[in-house]
Each structure stands twice: as C-alpha cells, then as structure tokens.
Amino acid sequence: MTIQASDIEAMIRDSFPNAKIDVQGDDGQHFSAMVEDDSFRGMNRVQQQRAVYAALKGKMDGPAGELHALALTTRAP
Amino acid sequence: MSDAKTLITETVKAHDVVLYMKGTKSMPQCGFSSRVAGVLNYMGVDYTDVNVLSDADLRQGIKDYSDWPTIPQLYVKGEFVGGCDIITEMTLSGELDTLFEESGVTYDKEAADKIRAANG
C-alpha cells in the first residue's frame, strides 16, 4: 500500500481548510509536512501535532499503517 | 487500567527522563529513535530507555497512553514532551535546555551548544 503526497495534503486539508500546507516526499512511505494554521494559536507543539495526526485518521498506526514516517512541523501564522 | 498503562505510569513516575524507543540507547533500531537517543547521549543526560520492540502490549500501550501515534516518545518528570521532530526542534531552539533546567535534570550545556553550532 502506498500513499501519495497529494493524499496526505487532502486529508490535512479536510481538517484545516485554511491552513498553509506543504507536503514533501515521493517514495510512498516517508514524507515531511509543514502545516501552518490559525487554530494552532495558544497550543504547544504536542497539541498542534496531535491535531494533525488526528486528521490523518489512523494512517500512522501500527505495522499496518501506510505511513511509516511523517516528519511534521507545525506552527501558528 | 491495562497492565501496560500501569507499567508505563509507574515507569515515567519512577524516572526523571524516560525514552520509549525502538531498540536500546546503545543499539537503536530505527533512525528516529537513534536521533533522539543520540541527542540525549551526547548531552550526557541520565535517562531510562524502554525498548518497545520487546513487548507488543507496551508498543501499542505507549501510543494509547500519550495519544501519539509514533515512537520514540520522550517523558520528563512524568510528562510527555514529544517525538523525534519536536525533540529535534527543542534541542536546536534551546527549549530542551530550559526544560531540563526547570525539571532539575543534569545535562552538559556545552554539548548542547555544540549541537546547535553544528546545525545552526
């Protein structure tokens, strides 16, 4: 099972419609993503990244997860 | 409360700094675990490493405990601090130094500065 950068961006976009999102990586398993969104204001990094992981709906989970690695950077504008 | 959760709670309360990782601090088995263990080793932090690969219940249990999908996971004074990306950012920004100082965790400030100088 592989996943495309555009799939990741679409999933994040669903939860953060107005965010600035940049997803890099094309080997189907290892990606990096930067997400900048207003809703991150007042949240620490753990809270911000938890929100992004939640948007990915379990794609990161377990040995069966399609996404092995997502290097995540989050920030408020 | 599951056995895994009980064990995790006891472990993170019993030790000031705990790293849940794939492999051990002397033999990491994943690049992300290796990076965080490497930072802590280099900074001379006295920490407890827990190899999640040795126990499937623990491997899932730590994800449920923190509501965080990936490993490694760093805990300081019982609090989840973050995974590989967050620890890397905090090391480079100096926030990890601050956290250790506020938590009374001994570390080598000079080594931390060297990491920043080499990655600035």
Side-chain angles (χ1 to χ4, degrees):
Chain A
M1 278 293 273
T2 57
I3 189 165
Q4 306 294 321
S6 55
D7 300 331
I8 296 174
E9 180 169 341
M11 281 188 282
I12 298 174
R13 180 69 63 199
D14 265 353
S15 300
F16 305 95
N18 302 312
K20 192 170 144 192
I21 301 169
D22 181 27
V23 181
Q24 303 282 335
D26 53 14
D27 71 352
Q29 284 189 309
H30 300 79
F31 295 91
S32 66
M34 195 287 299
V35 185
E36 182 181 302
D37 193 71
D38 258 332
S39 68
F40 292 156
R41 282 185 208 281
M43 294 163 85
N44 65 31
R45 286 197 189 88
V46 168
Q47 293 165 331
Q48 293 176 0
Q49 297 197 12
R50 258 192 204 128
V52 176
Y53 284 136
L56 295 172
K57 300 179 183 77
K59 294 281 183 199
M60 301 285 301
D61 290 353
E66 294 163 52
L67 256 180
H68 171 67
L70 177 69
L72 201 52
T73 311
T74 52
R75 60 172 174 247
Chain B
M1 207 151 73
S2 72
D3 290 350
K5 193 172 178 189
T6 307
L7 179 63
I8 291 163
T9 306
E10 284 171 1
T11 305
V12 300
K13 281 194 194 320
H15 306 280
D16 280 355
V17 185
V18 183
L19 181 65
Y20 285 83
M21 61 183 292
K22 292 180 180 174
T24 62
K25 62 168 95 175
S26 56
M27 198 180 284
Q29 297 196 31
C30 168
F32 303 99
S33 290
S34 176
R35 195 200 301 177
V36 177
V39 165
L40 297 176
N41 292 344
Y42 191 75
M43 286 172 67
V45 176
D46 180 16
Y47 68 100
T48 301
D49 55 337
V50 179
N51 181 4
V52 302
L53 297 179
S54 67
D55 184 336
D57 286 344
L58 202 57
R59 184 172 178 171
Q60 185 55 46
I62 194 66
K63 295 177 182 179
D64 297 337
Y65 183 81
S66 58
D67 187 23
W68 192 259
T70 58
I71 289 156
Q73 296 186 10
L74 181 68
Y75 291 78
V76 175
K77 294 272 180 184
E79 295 289 327
F80 174 55
V81 180
C84 182
D85 299 321
I86 289 177
I87 301 307
T88 302
E89 273 185 68
M90 288 178 73
T91 305
L92 297 179
S93 69
E95 287 164 272
L96 193 62
D97 297 40
T98 308
L99 175 67
F100 285 154
E101 281 158 24
E102 288 174 356
S103 308
V105 172
T106 308
Y107 73 102
D108 182 347
K109 176 95 186 160
E110 213 169 286
D113 287 338
K114 273 189 200 165
I115 295 175
R116 286 186 281 274
N119 294 278

